[in-house]
Amino acid sequence: MDAEPPKAQVSRPAKGWEDAVALTGFILVAVGQASNQVLARGLAGSVPPFSLAFFRWSIIAIGLAPFAIAAIRDGKIPLAQNLWPILAAGFLGMFLCGGPVYIAGITTTAIHIALIFALSPIMVLLISAALGIEQIGPLQWLGTALALGGALLIVSGGHLETLTQSSAAAWGDLLVVCAMLGWSGYTLLQSRVAPRASLLARVSLFSAAGALCSLPPALQEMWATPAEVFNTRAFEAYVFAGLVPGLIAYAGFAWLGARFGSVRSSLVLYVAPIASALLSWIILGEPPKLIHLVGGLLILGGVWASLRK
């Protein structure tokens, strides 16, 4: 009887193919996520921000509605018990990360938005520690200090007195910080809302809640500036925001999580700022500066250290 070939040799091609698929998936999802930050900067206030947010979240909610309807029908999402948590998650993760970010894009860059959002895991860790959910070790404290130092370096531009000045850029960065804190709260909350349901089913409901929260200011924009809300350029922005950093990015992240696990999927955190910097350079003509590279390394290095046990 012939000897069986060594298992390592047999599994190598499959493993290589799986790694290639994972890397491609990480890059595509990161590019999809980063495209929303580039969109915020590229539009620079030409499309009313809350109308853009309202239509974006509406497209996502409707596109993923079949998953939500199936989960509700199967009893995996009891609406009566989850109504307020769904609204809270939609407000934190969708409303705060919608219109305010598009407003911030008028005065701050896509690279700033991406790097500030990269702090979210640090905030999640600190909130978890404050609530007694998790304990922080020495390496995690070091990572937190590095990441926060990198954020201060980027926001201040290397001049700490900038933080005390009431400039348009400072206010833009402050809006992004508020959005990032909202996303951190959403990250903690969303996994606890109807945990038996799939990610896409829950995202559909959260997006619907985000669209509902965005509707009042969007209606005001529609009333005050209808020509800016209803035109071809705005329609293209709504569709792009709903599909690329919306349905495609969420579906891709859900697929990565199901295929490769949550730990490997979290690598998107490190790829997204790089994708944002490259897209900003290619599309907007805003190349990263040395301070972005230094601050980005501090943030991403700090996030990596903070996620170690």
Side-chain angles (χ1 to χ4, degrees):
M1 180 184 253
D2 293 335
E4 292 183 2
K7 289 186 179 180
Q9 294 179 7
V10 173
S11 63
R12 259 181 213 153
K15 188 176 187 306
W17 176 84
E18 185 178 271
D19 289 341
V21 171
L23 179 61
T24 303
F26 293 141
I27 293 173
L28 291 177
V29 171
V31 168
Q33 292 177 343
S35 67
N36 189 56
Q37 296 144 10
V38 175
L39 183 70
R41 180 61 172 170
L43 292 176
S46 61
V47 176
F50 289 100
S51 295
L52 176 55
F54 169 75
F55 285 111
R56 179 195 179 198
W57 296 122
S58 296
I59 290 171
I60 296 172
I62 294 170
L64 298 178
F67 296 97
I69 293 171
I72 293 170
R73 187 170 50 235
D74 295 342
K76 294 180 179 179
I77 303 180
L79 286 179
Q81 296 95 320
N82 288 279
L83 181 59
W84 288 111
I86 288 171
L87 288 173
F91 176 82
L92 292 172
M94 280 59 182
F95 175 76
L96 290 181
C97 298
V101 174
Y102 297 134
I103 295 173
I106 299 173
T107 57
T108 193
T109 66
I111 299 174
H112 273 217
I113 296 173
L115 291 175
I116 291 173
F117 262 92
L119 285 172
S120 181
I122 296 289
M123 294 300 109
V124 171
L125 179 64
L126 292 176
I127 295 171
S128 298
L131 296 176
I133 299 173
E134 188 167 347
Q135 293 186 344
I136 301 181
L139 182 60
Q140 293 172 313
W141 278 119
L142 174 62
T144 298
L146 288 174
L148 292 178
L152 286 175
L153 181 65
I154 290 169
V155 172
S156 68
H159 305 283
L160 292 180
E161 63 271 14
T162 304
L163 299 175
T164 62
Q165 297 174 356
S166 183
S167 65
W171 279 107
D173 285 338
L174 181 60
L175 279 175
V176 181
V177 170
C178 292
M180 181 272 295
L181 292 174
W183 185 258
S184 302
Y186 165 81
T187 301
L188 280 171
L189 181 60
Q190 63 89 18
S191 60
R192 292 167 170 78
V193 179
R196 293 174 54 217
S198 68
L199 172 64
L200 296 182
R202 288 180 283 122
V203 166
S204 176
L205 295 177
F206 301 151
S207 298
L212 182 64
C213 292
S214 301
L215 182 57
L219 287 174
Q220 192 278 329
E221 293 171 345
M222 295 174 195
W223 177 265
T225 57
E228 294 182 12
V229 176
F230 303 106
N231 60 68
T232 302
R233 177 181 172 82
F235 177 77
E236 291 172 348
Y238 304 151
V239 174
F240 180 88
L243 293 181
V244 179
L247 291 173
I248 294 174
Y250 278 114
F253 189 79
W255 181 82
L256 286 175
R259 184 67 184 270
F260 302 105
S262 59
V263 175
R264 293 180 70 183
S265 298
S266 67
L267 292 174
V268 172
L269 294 171
Y270 304 99
V271 182
I274 299 172
S276 181
L278 292 176
L279 290 177
S280 296
W281 193 350
I282 295 169
I283 298 174
L284 303 177
E286 295 181 344
K289 300 177 181 178
L290 178 60
I291 198 166
H292 294 132
L293 297 177
V294 175
L297 287 174
L298 287 173
I299 290 174
L300 296 181
V303 171
W304 178 87
S306 71
L307 294 178
R308 303 304 98 188
K309 295 295 184 181

